[in-house]
Amino acid sequence: MSKRIAVYPGSFDPIHNGHLDIIERCRPLFDELLVAVLYNEEKKPLFSVEERVETIRELVDGRGDCRVESFSGLLVDFMDRVGARVVVRGLRAVSDFEYEFQMALMNRRLNPRVETVYMMPKEDYIYLSSRLVKEVHFLGGDVTGLVPDLVLERLRARRRS
Ligand code: PNS
């Protein structure tokens, strides 16, 4: 039987504990989880795609069932290239629903083999987003416990530079 590969796509700018919680929940469900970091320089990310990939690799290191790659272009084309049929997305609040619904149905139209699976993060992270993490951090707020220590260090280094 072929491997069941799931793709967890996102901007991950930066990855936070809600993302990591979803990764942990996926690991027992699929043979392989491919964390796919969108190459989106036009969105002016805080961290380059190389930095984001490297950070996530360090955080999931040593786990053969989880790979990290970047991608550009259509997600469904990337899915075909890596032989995956399942997209995993985290669903936090009702406000996520409309955007996720649109994306899931558009991806299905573009490639009917692709199914999107939604996972709920731990309640502690239900309000968390990368955008809020950056905003709070750069305004001097404390994001300890919301991002892994490695990300906290990299955010602090970015604030100093
Ligand atoms: O973390 P994000 O920014 O909410 O992730 C959005 C992402 C990367 C999943 C989405 O923008 C995406 O898949 N982009 C790739 C381009 C694409 O396939 N667009 C059509 C989606 S319906």
Side-chain angles (χ1 to χ4, degrees):
M1 208 173 75
S2 56
K3 272 214 274 184
R4 283 188 192 276
I5 305 172
V7 170
Y8 181 30
S11 302
F12 303 108
D13 185 41
I15 189 162
H16 56 62
N17 286 350
H19 294 130
L20 289 170
D21 180 74
I22 298 287
I23 291 173
E24 287 309 311
R25 285 173 199 281
C26 284
R27 291 182 56 215
L29 304 180
F30 304 102
D31 297 322
E32 186 175 319
L33 180 69
L34 209 166
V35 181
V37 183
L38 179 66
Y39 184 87
N40 55 347
E41 295 304 311
E42 65 288 349
K43 264 186 159 182
K44 301 227 180 305
L46 177 63
F47 295 103
S48 70
V49 73
E50 293 80 12
E51 288 171 317
R52 286 176 274 153
V53 167
E54 189 216 305
T55 301
I56 304 170
R57 279 194 184 140
E58 282 189 47
L59 292 166
V60 298
D61 192 33
R63 299 163 183 200
D65 55 353
C66 186
R67 276 197 293 144
V68 188
E69 303 289 343
S70 62
F71 78 104
S72 56
L74 284 177
L75 175 62
V76 289
D77 292 343
F78 176 74
M79 307 272 300
D80 272 347
R81 283 201 296 281
V82 298
R85 292 188 56 183
V86 177
V87 179
V88 172
R89 292 283 290 170
L91 199 59
R92 294 162 301 187
V94 180
S95 51
D96 279 345
F97 180 77
E98 195 167 336
Y99 172 56
E100 293 298 334
F101 183 75
Q102 286 177 336
M103 271 205 307
L105 293 187
M106 179 59 85
N107 282 334
R108 181 186 283 167
R109 183 195 159 95
L110 292 169
N111 185 343
R113 285 184 348 104
V114 167
E115 287 295 345
T116 307
V117 170
Y118 290 97
M119 312 269 297
M120 315 300 160
K122 191 167 185 244
E123 307 82 85
D124 303 26
Y125 306 131
I126 208 90
Y127 60 92
L128 196 53
S129 70
S130 299
R131 186 186 61 77
L132 265 187
V133 164
K134 286 181 282 194
E135 184 174 322
V136 169
H137 174 75
F138 285 103
L139 290 173
D142 185 8
V143 292
T144 308
L146 301 178
V147 293
D149 290 347
L150 180 63
V151 170
L152 198 54
E153 276 167 34
R154 290 181 179 180
L155 281 169
R156 284 180 180 147
R158 206 40 66 99
R159 197 168 55 182
R160 283 195 298 269
S161 63

